[in-house]
Amino acid sequence: MKVAYTVQEVREQVKEWRKEGLTVGLVPTMGYLHEGHASLMKKAVEENDRVVVSVFVNPTQFAPTEDLESYPRDLEKDCALCESIGVSLVFHPEPEEMYAPDFCTWVDMDVLSKTLCGKSRPIHFRGVCTVVSKLFHIVTPDKAYFGQKDAQQLAIIRRMVRDLNMDIEIVGCPIVREEDGLAKSSRNTYLNEEERKAALILSKSIFLGQKMVEEGETDAAKVKAAMVANIETEPLAKIDYVEIVDGMSMQPIETIKTPILAAMAVYIGKTRLIDNFIL
Ligand code: PAF
């Protein structure tokens, strides 16, 4: 497995693979890889001749008040995991390699990026769309893999690929959870012991809402109210949002008809965690 630090190195490698007629999969990540990322990488390795994993903590998707500096990083461990799964190339650029000092071209999206996480993180999806577009241009993958845990991000990337005629298949992969239900996230490492226990309220409320819908409840307000009430039983939890939206447009709905996304962002102490279910 190779590690590339520059755009040129990646381009040269992909050119070689293309000459040999090989297919290429891309797994974009911000590193500090866990089993959720591993599931994406395994699927990518199964479905492509060569797999590129990008490890890049993208500054443009963090607001100045957010955790860009403290976001956990461990390239050595990440590379070991990638290699054990059969990844061919890790792309780990410095921010200067990705963004020229006078960078001023953005890929942005309306509608889908204005609800849910987009409300409390107004520049986030512009940063995500921009960096993912750049990675798509650099790697030119046949397929790219994203986790369902970031369900709004996945919907936005699918829409961006459709709207901008990008010739890439987007593959969404299910949420991977800890044994007790907590969705795997690099940010779980911020939690102390007490917060780690409290964080279970997210998955418990997700399972509660999902059960109500599966048992036939179609009133979105009722499902949302039950999920909110459940989260409010946990003193360390502070709700950012709990919403039930149309699974394609990300707009709030009143009556539950598939496809839907029920999503939440909840602070446990200072750590903002997300979780969701889709139907
Ligand atoms: O989901 C993430 O880790 C990031 O948002 C992504 C897609 C790698 C873009 O920086």
Side-chain angles (χ1 to χ4, degrees), residues 4-78:
Y5 298 92
T6 65
V7 171
Q8 196 187 335
E9 283 171 88
V10 177
R11 288 217 160 113
E12 279 168 9
Q13 178 61 83
V14 173
K15 212 167 158 187
E16 289 298 313
W17 292 336
R18 292 300 187 194
K19 266 194 222 152
E20 294 171 47
L22 302 175
T23 59
V24 179
L26 170 67
V27 184
T29 81
M30 297 208 300
Y32 215 72
L33 306 176
H34 49 68
E35 284 163 51
H37 298 110
S39 74
L40 306 180
M41 299 194 287
K42 283 179 191 157
K43 191 155 177 65
V45 166
E46 263 167 44
E47 295 185 349
N48 301 272
D49 298 320
R50 296 289 181 269
V51 170
V52 179
V53 172
S54 59
V55 173
F56 179 58
V57 183
N58 172 39
T60 64
Q61 67 190 70
F62 289 78
T65 50
E66 293 179 347
D67 56 344
L68 173 63
E69 295 309 323
S70 57
Y71 196 85
R73 291 157 168 94
D74 191 341
L75 183 65
E76 214 176 300
K77 204 160 154 242
D78 290 348

Side-chain angles (χ1 to χ4, degrees), residues 2-266:
K2 281 191 196 164
V3 183
Y5 298 92
T6 65
V7 171
Q8 196 187 335
E9 283 171 88
V10 177
R11 288 217 160 113
E12 279 168 9
Q13 178 61 83
V14 173
K15 212 167 158 187
E16 289 298 313
W17 292 336
R18 292 300 187 194
K19 266 194 222 152
E20 294 171 47
L22 302 175
T23 59
V24 179
L26 170 67
V27 184
T29 81
M30 297 208 300
Y32 215 72
L33 306 176
H34 49 68
E35 284 163 51
H37 298 110
S39 74
L40 306 180
M41 299 194 287
K42 283 179 191 157
K43 191 155 177 65
V45 166
E46 263 167 44
E47 295 185 349
N48 301 272
D49 298 320
R50 296 289 181 269
V51 170
V52 179
V53 172
S54 59
V55 173
F56 179 58
V57 183
N58 172 39
T60 64
Q61 67 190 70
F62 289 78
T65 50
E66 293 179 347
D67 56 344
L68 173 63
E69 295 309 323
S70 57
Y71 196 85
R73 291 157 168 94
D74 191 341
L75 183 65
E76 214 176 300
K77 204 160 154 242
D78 290 348
C79 286
L81 179 67
C82 290
E83 187 151 32
S84 73
I85 290 175
V87 168
S88 306
L89 181 72
V90 169
F91 177 38
H92 179 57
E94 288 298 322
E96 299 73 35
E97 178 69 11
M98 292 296 275
Y99 296 104
D102 54 353
F103 179 91
C104 58
T105 307
W106 298 97
V107 181
D108 205 354
M109 185 175 295
D110 217 339
V111 188
L112 279 74
S113 65
K114 304 298 175 211
T115 57
L116 309 177
C117 289
K119 265 194 190 162
S120 44
R121 306 187 73 190
I123 62 151
H124 176 67
F125 289 116
R126 182 184 75 160
V128 170
C129 287
T130 302
V131 81
V132 170
S133 301
K134 284 165 74 66
L135 292 167
F136 285 177
H137 286 302
I138 296 164
V139 179
T140 62
D142 300 286
K143 296 185 181 190
Y145 297 78
F146 296 87
Q148 188 63 54
K149 178 168 159 272
D150 296 293
Q152 186 178 19
Q153 168 173 282
L154 177 57
I156 285 175
I157 287 164
R158 285 191 196 285
R159 183 63 65 91
M160 175 182 83
V161 163
R162 191 205 71 179
D163 285 356
L164 299 183
N165 304 95
M166 295 172 168
D167 191 14
I168 297 169
E169 185 186 328
I170 301 302
V171 182
C173 301
I175 296 178
V176 178
R177 296 182 180 278
E178 303 284 355
E179 250 174 51
D180 61 6
L182 181 68
K184 300 247 182 197
S185 163
S186 308
R187 288 190 169 99
N188 290 349
T189 52
Y190 296 152
L191 304 168
N192 64 30
E193 210 178 314
E194 196 191 1
E195 290 169 341
R196 173 64 184 76
K197 278 189 202 138
L200 278 185
I201 201 65
L202 278 94
S203 52
K204 281 186 183 156
S205 309
I206 286 293
F207 300 150
L208 172 77
Q210 187 164 5
K211 188 162 176 276
M212 285 176 78
V213 176
E214 281 171 358
E215 284 174 358
E217 182 56 69
T218 56
D219 184 339
K222 271 195 194 157
V223 178
K224 177 175 159 174
M227 290 166 75
V228 167
N230 196 242
I231 298 166
E232 285 174 348
T233 62
E234 172 49 62
L236 291 185
K238 194 171 140 273
I239 294 175
D240 178 6
Y241 69 79
V242 176
E243 291 293 348
I244 300 182
V245 297
D246 175 86
M248 301 295 278
S249 69
M250 302 290 111
Q251 302 309 300
I253 50 168
E254 284 176 11
T255 307
I256 295 178
K257 288 189 265 161
T258 53
I260 63 138
L261 164 68
M264 60 173 63
V266 176

